[in-house]
Amino acid sequence: MTDRQVPAKAVIPHLNVGGASEAIAFYVEALGAEELSRMPSQDGKRLLHADLLINGSHVFLHDDFPEHSFPGTNFGAPPRIGGSSVTVHLRVESCDAWYERAMKAGATTVMAPHDAFWGDRYGQVVDPFGHSWSFAHPLAKA
């Protein structure tokens, strides 16, 4: 299997985004994403599906389709539903470098990088589309 193929067994975040094409451009700049594929919807304006490779892992995303929401559910792009309860966590070589790149691209800080009590250097941001991302690397043992 190459790193471009979706593994037979995997957990893959699938983000609902208002402005999927713009989000892809942001993720390329902020997170070093590589776009593997995209499938436009029938309206020719929104994306039905896209596959990105971020830090060696797949992340799927699609545009928000509020017209297909199920009554009684709260599934949609974070700004439309009032936020997200999920953080996509990235184990990286340098928490500070990933945090700074995301901030430079337009993310908003939630938690600046710091030495966390559990033994990681940890930081967290929210992207312009309302999704939460965290970065961490293990602290060197003394």
Side-chain angles (χ1 to χ4, degrees):
M1 177 181 81
T2 69
D3 62 351
R4 294 181 180 280
Q5 296 173 316
V6 177
K9 293 183 179 182
V11 174
I12 301 171
H14 196 152
L15 307 178
N16 188 327
V17 182
S21 292
E22 294 84 1
I24 291 170
F26 173 81
Y27 297 143
V28 166
E29 181 181 352
L31 304 175
E34 179 183 353
E35 181 180 338
L36 301 180
S37 66
R38 72 169 64 193
M39 179 186 304
S41 66
Q42 289 180 327
D43 67 15
K45 298 175 185 172
R46 296 176 290 180
L47 293 181
L48 192 59
H49 178 75
D51 182 5
L52 306 179
L53 199 61
I54 299 175
N55 195 37
S57 295
H58 290 269
V59 174
F60 294 163
L61 62 95
H62 61 84
D63 265 297
D64 194 17
F65 290 87
E67 68 273 25
H68 296 295
S69 294
F70 294 99
T73 65
N74 199 23
F75 181 72
R80 184 168 64 83
I81 65 168
S84 174
S85 65
V86 175
T87 297
V88 182
H89 182 72
L90 302 173
R91 180 67 98 181
V92 296
E93 291 180 11
S94 172
C95 168
D96 294 81
W98 280 72
Y99 173 88
E100 289 302 324
R101 181 170 62 182
M103 292 298 293
K104 186 176 179 183
T108 302
T109 190
V110 172
M111 191 178 300
H114 65 285
D115 294 348
F117 68 89
W118 61 83
D120 281 348
R121 181 84 175 155
Y122 179 86
Q124 187 176 352
V125 300
V126 172
D127 69 35
F129 308 92
H131 292 283
S132 174
W133 299 83
S134 60
F135 315 108
H137 68 260
L139 293 169
K141 296 189 181 194

